[in-house]
Amino acid sequence: MVDQAVRPIVEAIAAKAPSGWTHAVMHGLAGRGGTSVTGGYTSRREHWHAGVPNPYEELMSLAEKLCKDRGWEPVSLEIQCRPSGEYRLVAFNDAITRVTGIGSGFQVVLEPDYHLLQPGLHQEPGTAAPTGDSELAVDRFHAYLERRAAILGHSDELPPPATAAAIDEAERRLGRRLPTDLRALYTIADGDGVGYENRYLFQGNAWLSLENLVAEHTVWSAGERPWYGWDLEWDAVVFDATPTNTVRRCGGHPGWLRFATSEDGNFLAVDTAPARNGRPGQIICTGRDYDDGPAYVGDSITSLLGHYLELLDQGAYEKHGGYISLLEPACDPAPQQIIGDSPDEVPPTLQAIHINDATGLVDLAPLTAAPSLRRLHLNRSTTADLTPVRELPVESLRITLDDGNLTPLAGHPHLASLDLTTTVPADLTPLRTVPHLRGLDLSGADVPDPTVLADLTDLRYLSLTGRQWTTLLNDGKVPPTLAAARLADPDATLDDALAWAARLGLNTENALRVTGILKSIGG
């Protein structure tokens, strides 16, 4: 019974309660991926004590029962209890989840299969010819192995070459041809791993066998990076690589063939679908640490091997047992991102800036010196004039606006997400003409007429307070294409969220509610 599974959780909450507590609430998510909880305690002495325990085994037991009984995987839940022993469980599937962090509240996903497209998917493709040279790559690879052998005192043990049939089959499964220079290397060795030992020939990266190259491509399916949820994705930005417009602005792409790995979730890949200024077969870094965008490494495997030879000739390496680390020359690249105060001098390479806790009004005019600025976030900082934003390719804008005038944003060709806080009422009418606006958070804004939002027919994410949502829902003015939404009331309950989500069209009739009472658990 669900009731029996809830009781040990209530006991765990009560056991960690502070002296004098009067009420406790746990918000949780539990399923095969594990558990996560937030919440806290109200007490007579202090208003709020953050932090409730995470009774993992008990929550997993409850999740297993609900998965079996309801098919929910994972399960979103809320448990409230009091020193008297009274408790109440509300549970539903993860279409509704608690949002943590700044703003908090609840999120509902109305279209679970819809994800925002990344800008790189629409970039103009490159038309230049590849620079890789299969014969030169083979010569350089043999030279590279010879110089490594001279340094190590022995030759690198490598696996046998891949057969032509194996390479053809790998390309068939990939749905793409390998660049000719990488293809040629596989006729020398099928990666650099023998058994569980790798030689890490590509600057600390293990060269993958054809089988593992195909496997990595299959794991990444369409090539896109994982979707981290609407609360993180609605205002996400992908940076441009340097040089600009060489690599598509994506977290992942089906044309990126990962051929080497640092074994920490990051990869070297050959790019078979470059952007306008790139070349097929160019080398990029992608993976876990490149959610903000890929990094350009070189125009080909051939060039990369030439660079490795140059470093060895210069003595720019270190030997560690049976391994060699190449030492890249020191460089101090111009920053792409600044976090903190407004800089005295804005670097033209800047793509993102977070200005925190400014003491006066922030003048945005100096930022026009950064023609590639895509993320502009004023955190606990205020500006009075958005005019400079008109000249910038800003896609993600977070601001506190002192004059309420959104007219400078009218028709902005790049703006995709806006997180707006105001100190005076703001007219949303100019947002009707922003062609690519997909995400909007107005929970901190004074908007006398939120019904304008009904005209935003391509809006996919909207965050409002309960009062703002009530106005829209009562007037039938909810934007028609929402895929996800947030109820931005920190003190909202899961019951509140279920009622709100139902008005947005989500079927919440099978939500589970269980009440009970334990023997007094103390105060």
Side-chain angles (χ1 to χ4, degrees):
M1 291 179 59
V2 171
D3 185 59
Q4 293 176 341
V6 176
R7 287 173 174 256
I9 303 173
V10 175
E11 291 170 352
I13 295 172
K16 294 293 184 179
S19 176
W21 71 291
T22 58
H23 177 255
V25 59
M26 168 192 283
H27 302 283
L29 193 68
R32 284 193 293 268
T35 67
S36 63
V37 302
T38 60
Y41 303 87
T42 301
S43 73
R44 291 188 292 270
R45 298 174 184 172
E46 296 181 23
H47 180 66
W48 180 253
H49 291 266
V52 289
N54 185 345
Y56 177 82
E57 293 183 3
E58 291 80 1
L59 283 169
M60 290 297 290
S61 177
L62 174 61
E64 289 170 6
K65 285 181 171 57
L66 292 176
C67 181
K68 182 178 179 179
D69 295 346
R70 303 286 182 113
W72 295 342
E73 172 47 44
V75 58
S76 183
L77 59 90
E78 178 182 277
I79 297 175
Q80 300 195 41
C81 61
R82 299 184 181 279
S84 63
E86 297 173 275
Y87 65 86
R88 187 169 192 270
L89 164 73
V90 181
F92 194 61
N93 64 56
D94 68 332
I96 300 177
T97 53
R98 182 75 177 179
V99 178
T100 59
I102 297 174
S104 64
F106 284 90
Q107 174 182 279
V108 60
V109 177
L110 303 168
E111 291 187 36
D113 295 328
Y114 181 87
H115 294 169
L116 290 171
L117 294 178
Q118 298 184 75
L121 299 177
H122 303 293
Q123 278 180 270
E124 183 181 344
T127 57
T131 60
D133 183 314
S134 58
E135 292 185 5
L136 182 56
V138 167
D139 290 343
R140 287 179 172 177
F141 190 67
H142 281 307
Y144 178 49
L145 293 178
E146 290 171 3
R147 296 189 194 183
R148 285 176 56 90
I151 295 168
L152 294 171
H154 60 81
S155 298
D156 287 303
E157 182 184 5
L158 296 176
T163 64
I167 297 174
D168 289 343
E169 174 61 14
E171 291 179 332
R172 184 193 68 77
R173 293 170 64 190
L174 291 169
R176 294 175 181 265
R177 296 272 295 177
L178 294 174
T180 57
D181 49 0
L182 179 58
R183 198 177 204 275
L185 295 192
Y186 279 107
T187 68
I188 300 173
D190 188 10
D192 69 9
V194 177
Y196 295 101
E197 293 291 329
N198 293 294
R199 305 318 309 162
Y200 302 100
L201 295 180
F202 286 91
Q203 185 58 309
N205 292 278
W207 178 21
L208 298 175
S209 66
L210 280 174
E211 180 181 357
N212 287 333
L213 186 155
V214 172
E216 285 294 344
H217 192 71
T218 302
V219 167
W220 287 72
S221 60
E224 297 182 8
R225 66 181 173 85
W227 177 260
Y228 295 112
W230 279 96
D231 53 329
L232 298 177
E233 298 284 353
W234 78 274
D235 63 349
V237 169
V238 182
F239 294 165
D240 198 1
T242 303
T244 61
N245 271 317
T246 52
V247 189
R248 291 178 182 270
R249 292 177 52 224
C250 299
H253 191 276
W256 298 353
L257 308 181
R258 298 165 178 81
F259 71 92
T261 176
S262 55
E263 300 177 324
D264 60 356
N266 295 313
F267 299 86
L268 288 179
V270 286
D271 181 2
T272 65
R276 184 184 64 222
N277 297 334
R279 291 180 178 271
Q282 65 191 10
I283 311 301
I284 64 173
C285 288
T286 182
R288 186 194 68 183
D289 294 330
Y290 295 89
D291 285 338
D292 283 336
Y296 177 88
V297 177
D299 62 19
S300 65
I301 289 280
T302 309
S303 296
L304 189 63
L305 291 170
H307 175 61
Y308 291 170
L309 289 171
E310 289 175 358
L311 292 177
L312 291 178
D313 286 345
Q314 297 164 6
Y317 63 85
E318 291 179 348
K319 178 182 173 184
H320 305 280
Y323 300 95
I324 295 174
S325 298
L326 299 175
L327 305 177
E328 297 287 351
C331 63
D332 185 17
Q336 287 188 312
Q337 183 165 238
I338 291 176
I339 300 175
D341 298 329
S342 298
D344 294 331
E345 184 175 344
V346 176
T349 55
L350 195 65
Q351 296 193 51
I353 186 167
H354 300 255
I355 298 174
N356 301 330
D357 305 301
T359 55
L361 291 177
V362 177
D363 181 6
L364 301 181
L367 298 180
T368 57
S372 297
L373 189 67
R374 301 188 185 278
R375 178 187 291 146
L376 170 52
H377 286 189
L378 303 187
N379 303 309
R380 301 169 304 280
S381 304
T382 304
T383 189
D385 183 10
L386 291 178
T387 302
V389 179
R390 299 166 77 167
E391 304 176 35
L392 295 167
V394 170
E395 295 174 0
S396 176
L397 179 62
R398 178 186 298 162
I399 52 167
T400 297
L401 187 59
D402 193 48
D403 71 350
N405 182 17
L406 296 175
T407 302
L409 300 182
H412 196 290
H414 302 282
L415 187 63
S417 66
L418 172 63
D419 185 341
L420 177 67
T421 299
T422 64
T423 60
V424 296
D427 178 8
L428 300 180
T429 302
L431 300 184
R432 289 171 168 168
T433 62
V434 181
H436 300 295
L437 188 62
R438 300 292 181 266
L440 190 57
D441 186 339
L442 298 174
S443 59
D446 182 354
V447 283
D449 183 16
T451 62
V452 172
L453 296 174
D455 297 328
L456 304 185
T457 55
D458 291 319
L459 198 69
R460 291 295 184 169
Y461 174 90
L462 179 60
S463 173
L464 300 173
T465 65
R467 179 176 296 179
Q468 291 169 328
W469 277 116
T470 297
T471 299
L472 281 193
L473 290 163
N474 287 348
D475 292 344
K477 296 295 185 178
V478 174
T481 55
L482 291 184
R486 182 166 74 100
L487 175 64
D489 290 348
D491 57 352
T493 66
L494 184 50
D495 269 326
D496 296 331
L498 286 162
W500 159 72
R503 295 196 67 187
L504 287 175
L506 187 71
N507 184 353
T508 64
E509 291 180 357
N510 64 337
L512 175 68
R513 295 173 176 85
V514 175
T515 59
I517 186 166
L518 300 177
K519 184 179 179 181
S520 180
I521 47 182

